[in-house]
Amino acid sequence: GESVGLHLPTLSVQEGDNSIINCAYSNSASDYFIWYKQESGKGPQFIIDIRSNMDKRQGQRVTVLLNKTVKHLSLQIAATQPGDSAVYFCAEKSNTGGFKTIFGAGTRLFVKA
Amino acid sequence: NAGVTQTPKFRVLKTGQSMTLLCAQDMNHEYMYWYRQDPGMGLRLIHYSVGEGTTAKGEVPDGYNVSRLKKQNFLLGLESAAPSQTSVYFCASSKANTEAFFGQGTRLTVV
């Protein structure tokens, strides 16, 4: 299940199960959204993105859902693997914000073997 | 293709010392960013640049300065380091409205 840790929310899932990571974004003018994965000691890496004219986009084992009405993003990972253990961040961009990328707080995903 | 390269990777400073972190990208990106990440936290935007010769403040700009004299380089300066600036610093670059590519980070400790 999902719990709130000292700083980062944490999600623990069993290997092979599906994971759902949620994110609330702040700027209603944001029109581009990105999910990043950050492994320990490394910089964030791009996973998948979605623009505001879409509500769903699929990649390899990952799906992003966008609900603009409630300013909510989710990342779904199918058949979660131990290598998926990392911190996941959503980020938003807006051309009214000078295209700067603003990050959400992040969720730590633990995959139990 | 190197992508985004940050130097140095580690640094220890005494309170009051100054230093410059260098970020270089070889992707011809217009946008460059500096973030800080504190333990167990997300990334907070310090300053960013939308092109050569331009800079803008992010969420937490105080105590930092930046310069973008060349398109491929974005420098982050600390004029008088404070313990509160102990953090991991990440540089990133992007095209206008696409994903950002990140460097490997600089771990800075101010004692």
Side-chain angles (χ1 to χ4, degrees):
Chain A
E2 186 173 4
S3 62
V4 176
L6 183 60
H7 292 292
L8 290 175
T10 299
L11 176 65
S12 293
V13 299
Q14 196 69 39
E15 180 179 2
D17 287 351
N18 297 334
S19 303
I20 299 176
I21 300 171
N22 296 303
C23 175
Y25 64 92
S26 57
N27 185 359
S28 57
S30 292
D31 54 10
Y32 178 57
F33 305 89
I34 314 117
W35 278 100
Y36 289 92
K37 174 185 180 182
Q38 186 178 27
E39 296 174 294
S40 181
K42 297 184 178 180
Q45 289 183 294
F46 171 83
I47 302 173
I48 191 168
D49 59 2
I50 188 168
R51 298 199 182 269
S52 58
N53 60 349
M54 303 173 68
D55 52 21
K56 180 179 180 179
R57 189 160 190 231
Q58 287 185 291
Q60 189 175 15
R61 279 203 309 119
V62 293
T63 301
V64 55
L65 299 177
L66 173 63
N67 185 331
K68 294 182 288 293
T69 302
V70 295
K71 293 191 287 186
H72 183 268
L73 274 173
S74 68
L75 176 70
Q76 300 177 1
I77 304 174
T80 312
Q81 302 168 0
D84 295 326
S85 292
V87 177
Y88 290 82
F89 293 98
C90 66
E92 57 185 300
K93 265 189 171 183
S94 161
N95 61 3
T96 60
F99 291 116
K100 58 181 183 285
T101 305
I102 301 297
F103 280 76
T107 297
R108 187 180 302 279
L109 176 66
F110 284 114
V111 181
K112 296 174 284 187
Chain B
N1 197 353
V4 179
T5 303
Q6 293 182 230
T7 52
K9 290 184 171 51
F10 302 93
R11 184 72 186 268
V12 178
L13 283 181
K14 293 182 179 178
T15 298
Q17 286 185 319
S18 64
M19 79 163 293
T20 300
L21 281 66
L22 173 64
C23 178
Q25 54 97 1
D26 61 3
M27 295 173 282
N28 201 34
H29 285 164
E30 289 295 327
Y31 285 72
M32 295 188 75
Y33 315 83
W34 276 107
Y35 293 88
R36 62 176 288 172
Q37 186 175 34
D38 299 312
M41 305 287 281
L43 287 88
R44 291 185 291 169
L45 183 63
I46 304 171
H47 286 280
Y48 66 105
S49 167
V50 304
E52 181 179 324
T54 72
T55 63
K57 293 180 180 180
E59 302 167 276
V60 289
D62 294 343
Y64 305 95
N65 57 75
V66 288
S67 64
R68 183 98 181 268
L69 298 179
K70 293 183 179 181
K71 186 177 184 179
Q72 64 267 35
N73 295 336
F74 195 30
L75 279 65
L76 177 70
L78 287 73
E79 290 186 348
S80 179
S84 61
Q85 293 178 305
T86 294
S87 190
V88 180
Y89 292 85
F90 287 101
C91 176
S93 71
S94 76
K95 295 180 182 178
N97 208 15
T98 62
E99 77 274 20
F101 292 82
F102 284 81
Q104 289 300 296
T106 296
R107 187 174 298 274
L108 175 66
T109 302
V110 183
V111 298

